[in-house]
Amino acid sequence: MIQTKGKVYIVGAGPGDPDLITVKAAKCLEQADVILYDRLVNPVLLKYGKSDAEFIYCGKEPGNHCVSQESIHQILVDKALAGKTVVRLKGGDPFIFGRGGEEAEVLVQNGLEFEIVPGITSGIAAPAYAGIPVTHREWSQSFAMITGHCLSGKPKNIRWDHLAHGVDTLAIYMGIKHLPFICSQLISCGKESQTPIAVIEQGTTGNQRTVVGTLETIVEVVNENRITNPAMIVIGEVVNLSEKLSWFPERIKEKILI
């Protein structure tokens, strides 16, 4: 009997609050034979999976990858070739700094059927839960998503000069480690040192904390409050709306305006 190939769903789990998963993502989990999930996926979402599904943890902490990206690729291919319905469950959106594009390319190379299921990304959701609209008719007509960590470490190849002058609101992922570098680059490229900046730790979860400062002061604020990953950095005048529009009850709230 000829083995029928399976299908892979590359699925966004959303930013942390389990209620923010999409209906389509939940349906994919319900039918999956195999679920490969990341570190930032809320474990509550795994309850959507079948009782006899195979769960494979693929978590990656900074400097500590329990499963290499190459191994993940191979698992996806092997399981799909074995006729399984596979869900690759990623925090946020799989195509926004989630390496979903790389995984889809591997599936194409192996002639495997796949589908992308978008998710709510933390670059939009975390600011929203902190009372920060990334666009606003008066304060922000443009918005950019930027990685704060590159293959070489510091995001040196990013056109900080363009971002400093050409975009109203910046949402920076994975940038806590390189926050001093990011702030100094923007200031050196002409961004006003008093530009408001917010750092949102564990956005949309019960452990969310937000601290606010300026490009000049935020590193000290973050260090004083021991803000750690995962955290989203938001830069721009819309940060000034945070206190006014704050609606989500943070367990430890540290709104510091300097």
Side-chain angles (χ1 to χ4, degrees):
M1 184 176 70
I2 299 175
Q3 176 75 53
T4 302
K5 293 180 182 179
K7 181 175 180 178
V8 178
Y9 295 85
I10 301 177
V11 177
D17 182 342
D19 289 342
L20 293 180
I21 192 170
T22 66
V23 172
K24 186 164 189 176
K27 288 180 177 179
C28 289
L29 289 169
E30 289 169 354
Q31 68 179 8
D33 300 310
V34 182
I35 299 172
L36 290 80
Y37 63 101
D38 282 346
R39 178 174 66 96
L40 297 181
V41 168
N42 192 315
V44 171
L45 298 178
L46 301 180
K47 295 181 180 179
Y48 284 103
K50 298 185 294 187
S51 60
D52 61 347
E54 180 182 3
F55 295 88
I56 302 173
Y57 178 63
C58 300
K60 296 176 182 177
E61 298 183 29
N64 180 24
H65 294 184
C66 72
V67 180
S68 69
Q69 189 64 39
E70 292 73 20
S71 296
I72 292 170
H73 292 169
Q74 194 60 55
I75 294 170
L76 292 174
V77 170
D78 290 345
K79 297 295 183 182
L81 287 175
K84 304 291 186 180
T85 297
V86 183
V87 164
R88 175 70 175 105
L89 189 63
K90 296 173 167 291
D93 181 276
F95 272 12
I96 299 179
F97 306 122
R99 305 191 74 169
E102 297 171 45
E103 293 169 359
E105 285 182 290
V106 169
L107 298 173
V108 170
Q109 291 166 8
N110 286 273
L112 294 166
E113 186 180 2
F114 69 94
E115 189 170 328
I116 308 300
V117 180
I120 299 174
T121 182
S122 57
I124 296 171
Y129 271 52
I132 301 170
V134 294
T135 66
H136 189 282
R137 287 184 67 182
E138 294 182 26
W139 303 110
S140 177
Q141 287 76 51
S142 57
F143 167 59
M145 298 176 180
I146 305 134
T147 178
H149 182 82
C150 297
L151 282 173
S152 60
K154 289 182 181 179
K156 295 180 180 179
N157 296 328
I158 290 173
R159 295 301 303 270
W160 294 108
D161 53 338
H162 289 190
L163 294 172
H165 299 285
V167 181
D168 294 325
T169 303
L170 309 178
I172 302 177
Y173 296 66
M174 304 170 289
I176 285 293
K177 181 178 179 180
H178 301 304
L179 182 59
F181 174 81
I182 292 167
C183 292
S184 67
Q185 286 295 106
L186 288 169
I187 292 172
S188 67
C189 289
K191 193 79 169 174
E192 171 58 48
S193 65
Q194 296 304 305
T195 301
I197 176 170
V199 179
I200 308 155
E201 179 186 69
Q202 297 193 51
T204 79
T205 75
N207 294 319
Q208 176 175 307
R209 291 195 299 160
T210 302
V211 295
V212 178
T214 67
L215 284 177
E216 190 173 53
T217 65
I218 194 64
V219 172
E220 180 180 355
V221 173
V222 164
N223 289 338
E224 286 179 353
N225 289 273
R226 299 180 180 180
I227 301 296
T228 61
N229 282 313
M232 177 60 56
I233 301 166
V234 185
I235 303 171
E237 296 302 320
V238 288
V239 170
N240 287 327
L241 295 169
S242 177
E243 195 67 31
K244 179 180 180 181
L245 302 182
S246 179
W247 62 272
F248 183 67
E250 299 184 12
R251 192 171 70 178
I252 304 174
K253 201 171 190 70
E254 297 284 355
K255 295 279 179 127
I256 302 173
L257 298 172
I258 299 179

